[in-house]
Amino acid sequence: MFLCELNDFYPPRRPAQSTDVSCEFGSSKYYALCGFGGILSCGITHTAVVPLDLVKCRLQVDPDKFKSIGNGFKVTLREDGVRGLAKGWAPTFIGYSMQGLCKFGFYEVFKIFYSDLLGEENTYLWRTSLYLAASASAEFFADIALAPMEAVKVRIQTQPGYANTLRQCVPKMYAEEGLWAFYKGVVPLWMRQIPYTMMKFSCFERTVELLYKYVVPKPRSECSKPEQLVVTFVAGYIAGVFCAIVSHPADSVVSVLNKEQGSTAVQVLKKLGPKGVWKGLVARIIMIGTLTALQWFIYDSVKVYFRLPRPPPPEMPESLKKKLGLTE
């Protein structure tokens, strides 16, 4: 049943417990292991694409020097060598691991919390809104966890000569600007990441449903594992493309804000202008599309490995069927 139901973020009707699961749905152990899955899915994938992320950030903050993705790689290799492409890997791994912990862990918490408030019938009727609300709530806290390491990462990647490692950069930033240096980008992070995460969860859910309904010529239950994985990857990539587009302007602001001392988000936005905020979009679409697809794969692999309970696909409650006259 590996990844048979990767699209497991359905309205959280509390499932009947199976003897094949390792813990109770909604228990502390369940949340902890979901958080662990988030650590692996976000930490590993974001660290794997550090070279592309580095070039993307440099395109955003210095478009005169770095004119395209290919040119960005050439200039970086010429100036810093191959090792230069790995700049910022440590804050990336730490920061996005913490973000993944909160993103996926709190998503599960808020999904169940909001579902209990709505009740079974409204949970079904408003399931897309439930995904959006739960993911936005989770990302609010995830960005607070991410902000310090994101600031360090961008400073290392976009200011040559400032610092080459996490240990060099953190004390230097603190000495110059204090604690504010690590959290001045949290509001732009919310602007970037909350729409991104809302799109990531809701778009993925709906895309999977549409692919199986209109594209895949047979029901999901009849698909082989490789076929299911293809659908999963395609749905994740499509969701990632939309994620990248809706969050890219704020991402550009974050990159420039963390490079420049004393600037505010409004000042950076005015400086970049309508065209400047879209610099580096192609690189980010490639990066985020790949990341989103791989993150679902890793996250669900963790849930399968630890035998966590998974809510079933959404079905209209019998009480609602009766109200709508759909039962005989």
Side-chain angles (χ1 to χ4, degrees):
M1 56 181 288
F2 183 69
L3 284 177
C4 287
E5 295 293 340
L6 184 59
N7 185 25
D8 60 355
F9 294 105
Y10 291 110
R13 295 181 289 114
R14 298 187 181 271
Q17 296 301 310
S18 166
T19 56
D20 192 39
V21 299
S22 62
C23 62
E24 183 180 354
F25 180 72
S27 65
S28 297
K29 181 179 179 181
Y30 175 80
Y31 292 136
L33 289 174
C34 286
F36 178 67
I39 288 174
L40 294 183
S41 67
C42 292
I44 292 173
T45 52
H46 278 276
T47 304
V49 295
V50 160
L52 184 61
D53 184 45
L54 180 144
V55 173
K56 182 268 300 180
C57 287
R58 290 183 171 183
L59 281 171
Q60 291 171 326
V61 302
D62 196 354
D64 294 330
K65 182 178 180 180
F66 302 94
K67 303 183 184 302
S68 65
I69 298 175
N71 176 257
F73 274 104
K74 287 180 181 179
V75 173
T76 300
L77 286 170
R78 184 174 64 245
E79 294 183 349
D80 302 323
V82 176
R83 292 185 64 180
L85 291 174
K87 275 188 175 182
W89 75 266
T92 296
F93 180 74
I94 296 170
Y96 282 93
S97 292
M98 294 302 96
Q99 187 211 37
L101 168 68
C102 298
K103 183 196 296 278
F104 286 97
F106 283 149
Y107 176 77
E108 298 285 353
V109 172
F110 283 114
K111 184 174 60 174
I112 293 174
F113 176 72
Y114 292 149
S115 177
D116 289 342
L117 290 178
L118 289 172
E120 186 179 27
E121 292 182 3
N122 285 328
T123 290
Y124 174 79
L125 292 173
W126 297 94
R127 58 188 181 278
T128 300
S129 298
L130 177 66
Y131 302 145
L132 293 170
S135 57
S137 301
E139 191 60 38
F140 176 86
F141 295 100
D143 291 339
I144 296 174
L146 169 64
M149 290 297 102
E150 177 74 0
V152 173
K153 173 188 78 76
V154 173
R155 191 68 64 91
I156 291 173
Q157 291 180 336
T158 61
Q159 282 196 2
Y162 184 85
N164 291 320
T165 66
L166 176 65
R167 287 182 295 177
Q168 293 174 353
C169 193
V170 170
K172 193 172 182 179
M173 289 178 64
Y174 184 77
E176 292 176 350
E177 300 181 67
L179 194 62
W180 175 243
F182 304 103
Y183 287 99
K184 68 178 183 178
V186 71
V187 173
L189 267 179
W190 282 330
M191 292 166 58
R192 180 187 83 184
Q193 291 295 134
I194 290 179
Y196 163 85
T197 300
M198 293 170 72
M199 182 67 71
K200 175 179 179 176
F201 282 85
S202 60
C203 184
F204 176 79
E205 300 295 338
R206 291 306 187 188
T207 301
V208 168
E209 292 178 11
L210 290 173
L211 286 175
Y212 278 109
K213 186 174 182 180
Y214 296 108
V215 179
V216 181
K218 54 186 175 182
R220 179 166 45 189
S221 58
E222 297 178 11
C223 293
S224 65
K225 291 178 181 178
E227 290 171 337
Q228 292 168 1
L229 289 174
V230 169
V231 174
T232 296
F233 188 86
V234 171
Y237 212 99
I238 292 172
V241 170
F242 285 103
C243 288
I245 293 172
V246 301
S247 62
H248 189 73
D251 182 66
S252 297
V253 173
V254 170
S255 295
V256 177
L257 187 65
N258 284 324
K259 178 195 174 187
E260 300 179 352
Q261 297 182 23
S263 297
T264 66
V266 175
Q267 291 172 339
V268 171
L269 193 59
K270 289 181 179 179
K271 178 182 176 181
L272 290 173
K275 292 183 179 180
V277 295
W278 296 105
K279 286 285 186 180
L281 178 61
V282 175
R284 194 156 189 268
I285 284 176
I286 296 171
M287 183 180 75
I288 296 301
T290 306
L291 283 176
T292 305
L294 292 176
Q295 282 172 0
W296 295 125
F297 182 92
I298 294 172
Y299 181 65
D300 200 65
S301 296
V302 171
K303 297 184 83 171
V304 170
Y305 178 81
F306 287 108
R307 297 184 294 110
L308 299 184
R310 295 152 123 201
E315 295 179 1
M316 183 178 292
E318 289 298 324
S319 58
L320 187 57
K321 289 181 180 179
K322 291 180 181 178
K323 288 181 180 180
L324 299 175
L326 300 178
T327 56
E328 295 181 359

